Amino acid sequence: MRKAIFSFRCLICITLGVMLTAASLSAQQERPNVLFIIVDDLNTTITAYGHENMVTPNIDNLADQGTLFERAYTQQPVCSASRASFLTGLRPETAGVNYPYSEYFVQEVLPKHPTVSAYFKSHGYYTRHFGKVHHGQDLDSLSAPWFQGNAQTYFNPENAETKDKSTGGPPFEASRSTIEVHRDALIANEAMSALEAAATKDQPFFFAVGFHKPHLPFVAPKQFYDLYPVEKVPLPECPLHPLGAPDWTIDRYVLDQYKWEHNDRTRPFSAQYTREARQAYYACVSFIDHLVGDLVSKADELNLLDNTIIVITSDHGFHLGDQNHWSKTTNYESALHVPLIIVDGRSDKHGLRSKAFVELVDMYPTLVELCGLPMPDYLEGTSVVPLLDDPDRPWKSAAFTRQPRGMLDHIYGHAIRTDRYRYVEWTREATGEVLLQELYDYEKDAREIENLADHAEYKSIRDELAERLAQGWKAALPPGIENHSDNPIAPPPYAVRGEGMSRREAWVREYGGNVDMNWEEAARVRREAEAKGQMP
């Protein structure tokens, strides 16, 4: 009798176990897929953002299918810092990255705070990275190895002498090669093959696809250059550095990396050359738009779109001659403002637009909520899911960004962007001394022509914004929403080896120690040196 009761109990347990397992698998299968598209150095020069001269039908179509965010901002306008931030859901001051990745980020942050891709893998998703997702090496152990693609830079024979590196080469090229041989096309094709395989699995996928262009050099197949007759390419509205702002608010390092028309930092390029450079950037944008179209069409062909969330964004913006600059790493609108479109294939709401302030750090919690996963309590972003239902609801009162200066980040520019103003406060990192204030009034000066911080009539506004900047991002959260994260502030970034070796060497020259130090020892020698007043 006992054996019979035991067997009956075992049968019940097995049956319940099978039912629970089946329910778990069913819930997993019902979870939406994620296609996270990251475009390097893409500003809002897209038709859907009001640039009628652009040819971007596929990105525009995504905007028609989902929600376009008109005021999305990066937290730091350089690829490594931005990606470290939005991939982990931590702000730059917590992630501890400037350029490139830091030892603290790799050794201390990532083991405790997995990237959004790794987090999805831990919750049953099939996860992969294609192209440039992280900056430099890919640091995640996912469901399949990272697909990098080849590293060819130039394609025309006259540029072959550059030894396949950007240093010393032209800043743009109308490639006479076919689309298929370009790195971004290889990345798109590999991602499409992965979509085909994923369509046969009873498992949701999380694919992050990172396109390299329009990063310098602006290289795209000639057919995309032909979309933009150079004589019709518009010139920048504000080609001069802002009045009342010192030259170092912009870092024109790209003038030393490529063979431009000239490398005189004090004067803009000629009108003709400016048009040619902008034409090249536009060509790269249309090239990537073409590949985005291929990727989405493949998902549609495989009947995946109805249960797939698509996000397309950039790591930061890009100056195209405005403020006499051709890059990022500034606290101006062109470098900080990014495109952001979210399409939820399960939703019946299409073509929405939101003027709410959103930040790239918000993407991690947004994807977690959309997919019904547990929300980590350390994230420093805010899910924008409520805006997908009601794009006009009250939201954040400001966006926050930062950008350092100097090889060893001795000076930081911290910025707050509100409805009408941007206020920037440049401080010496070791002492907190305020070196410079910038203030721009977008109602009267949308092109950031003049720094108004020292104008008497703006003193009260400047002081108010300085106080709001000091209060920080938690004070600007949407009504009724709180964030209880309590993460430590990162030490000054001691760069990882490889790309960061020159910065490690500069650190040792400035403070002492040796290039083999870990981040803790490096932080100690810097603190001791700065306490003695040893800083530039």
Side-chain angles (χ1 to χ4, degrees):
M1 184 69 175
R2 283 183 179 177
K3 184 179 291 187
I5 293 173
F6 177 78
S7 298
F8 181 69
R9 287 175 176 171
C10 285
L11 180 61
I12 291 174
C13 290
I14 292 170
T15 302
L16 285 173
V18 170
M19 291 173 65
L20 289 171
T21 300
S24 176
L25 286 173
S26 176
Q28 180 172 290
Q29 291 164 7
E30 290 174 0
R31 285 178 177 161
N33 307 305
V34 177
L35 183 58
F36 189 13
I37 304 171
I38 307 161
V39 187
D40 205 352
D41 286 16
L42 178 64
N43 60 27
T44 56
T45 309
I46 298 166
T47 307
Y49 278 86
H51 294 267
E52 297 298 330
N53 65 302
M54 295 301 297
V55 182
T56 53
N58 297 298
I59 297 176
D60 300 337
N61 183 60
L62 289 177
D64 291 339
Q65 296 303 312
T67 302
L68 180 148
F69 293 88
E70 297 182 1
R71 297 197 296 185
Y73 289 90
T74 183
Q75 274 48 78
Q76 188 169 327
V78 66
C79 48
S80 49
S82 178
R83 291 165 191 267
S85 174
F86 69 70
L87 289 175
T88 60
L90 303 173
R91 291 175 185 267
E93 55 268 31
T94 301
V97 172
N98 176 27
Y99 184 89
Y101 279 174
S102 67
E103 279 207 355
Y104 176 81
F105 177 71
V106 173
Q107 297 175 5
E108 187 73 13
V109 174
L110 283 180
K112 298 178 181 178
H113 305 305
T115 66
V116 62
S117 307
Y119 188 73
F120 270 69
K121 182 191 176 187
S122 72
H123 285 82
Y125 273 72
Y126 181 74
T127 54
R128 288 200 63 182
H129 284 176
F130 308 87
K132 186 174 180 179
V133 178
H134 280 284
H135 175 75
Q137 62 180 346
D138 202 273
L139 301 173
D140 290 314
S141 177
L142 302 179
S143 303
W146 168 44
F147 180 82
Q148 184 176 7
N150 69 23
Q152 187 171 350
T153 301
Y154 301 106
F155 295 86
N156 297 344
E158 62 267 26
N159 295 324
E161 296 295 319
T162 59
K163 299 179 181 177
D164 204 31
K165 294 192 298 184
S166 61
T167 302
F172 48 85
E173 176 191 87
S175 167
R176 296 191 289 274
S177 296
T178 59
I179 290 176
E180 292 74 19
V181 300
H182 287 250
R183 175 192 274 189
D184 285 321
L186 296 175
I187 291 166
N189 287 335
E190 183 68 17
M192 286 188 283
S193 296
L195 286 174
E196 291 180 343
T200 67
K201 298 178 183 292
D202 291 328
Q203 182 182 17
F205 63 80
F206 182 104
F207 289 170
V209 182
F211 291 118
H212 290 263
K213 299 305 170 189
H215 191 288
L216 280 164
F218 306 145
V219 177
K222 185 178 181 298
Q223 68 193 72
F224 297 102
Y225 273 71
D226 293 341
L227 296 173
Y228 303 98
V230 70
E231 68 276 6
K232 295 183 179 180
V233 172
L235 292 170
E237 294 183 333
C238 179
L240 301 177
H241 191 77
L243 296 171
D247 186 66
W248 53 263
T249 60
I250 285 176
D251 185 357
R252 298 183 177 88
Y253 61 92
V254 297
L255 289 179
D256 301 324
Q257 292 184 313
Y258 301 93
K259 294 177 180 176
W260 299 88
E261 180 182 49
H262 63 74
N263 63 356
D264 184 347
R265 296 165 184 253
T266 65
R267 61 188 176 95
F269 298 138
S270 67
Q272 176 65 20
Y273 190 84
T274 298
R275 285 192 169 95
E276 291 172 3
R278 288 166 71 96
Q279 174 199 39
Y281 182 91
Y282 297 165
C284 289
V285 173
S286 288
F287 176 36
I288 297 304
D289 178 84
H290 173 85
L291 299 177
V292 168
D294 287 346
L295 198 57
V296 175
S297 293
K298 174 58 70 174
D300 188 20
E301 174 189 318
L302 297 167
N303 297 316
L304 293 171
L305 291 184
D306 287 347
N307 195 40
T308 297
I309 295 160
I310 301 175
V311 175
I312 183 165
T313 190
S314 177
D315 46 4
H316 45 70
F318 200 88
H319 289 254
L320 293 173
D322 36 299
Q323 283 78 41
N324 190 23
H325 189 46
W326 289 88
S327 190
K328 49 263 188 175
T329 66
T330 77
N331 276 310
Y332 299 121
E333 192 79 1
S334 292
L336 301 176
H337 190 201
V338 296
L340 175 62
I341 298 168
I342 299 177
V343 181
D344 186 345
R346 303 165 301 174
S347 174
D348 59 0
K349 295 184 177 181
H350 308 294
L352 304 181
R353 300 178 77 93
S354 175
K355 295 183 181 297
F357 280 116
V358 298
E359 301 170 287
L360 287 185
V361 72
D362 299 335
M363 290 305 95
Y364 196 137
T366 298
L367 290 172
V368 167
E369 182 174 352
L370 283 171
C371 296
L373 304 183
M375 187 70 70
D377 60 5
Y378 60 81
L379 297 180
E380 296 176 341
T382 303
S383 170
V384 304
V385 169
L387 293 172
L388 301 180
D389 292 324
D390 182 5
D392 298 321
R393 63 165 289 169
W395 205 244
K396 293 181 181 180
S397 60
F400 291 77
T401 57
R402 74 170 194 173
Q403 178 58 45
R405 282 287 176 265
M407 175 70 86
L408 298 177
D409 313 317
H410 291 109
I411 297 173
Y412 271 87
H414 296 275
I416 179 173
R417 173 67 156 93
T418 68
D419 280 333
R420 180 169 173 176
Y421 303 102
R422 172 170 285 113
Y423 171 74
V424 188
E425 195 168 273
W426 294 90
T427 60
R428 189 174 294 279
E429 186 71 358
T431 64
E433 174 191 3
V434 177
L435 304 174
L436 172 70
Q437 294 170 297
E438 292 183 85
L439 176 63
Y440 298 93
D441 181 347
Y442 292 103
E443 186 174 290
K444 296 182 178 179
D445 178 18
R447 297 174 293 172
E448 298 163 318
I449 293 174
E450 184 174 10
N451 173 20
L452 303 171
D454 291 333
H455 289 217
E457 64 268 32
Y458 281 91
K459 181 182 184 303
S460 62
I461 294 170
R462 182 196 67 198
D463 293 346
E464 176 193 341
L465 291 171
E467 177 61 26
R468 291 181 64 180
L469 179 63
Q471 290 172 353
W473 58 271
K474 287 187 179 182
L477 291 176
I481 294 179
E482 297 180 348
N483 183 290
H484 299 288
S485 62
D486 187 23
N487 302 308
I489 298 297
Y494 189 54
V496 294
R497 288 178 173 273
E499 190 176 6
M501 197 62 197
S502 63
R503 292 174 184 262
R504 292 169 76 100
E505 292 168 348
W507 189 293
V508 171
R509 287 194 303 271
E510 192 68 43
Y511 305 120
N514 61 78
V515 295
D516 296 321
M517 295 183 295
N518 62 24
W519 68 266
E520 292 174 298
E521 181 67 9
R524 183 187 65 80
V525 298
R526 177 163 175 160
R527 284 195 304 269
E528 291 177 354
E530 289 177 340
K532 298 174 183 177
Q534 181 184 341
M535 55 188 178

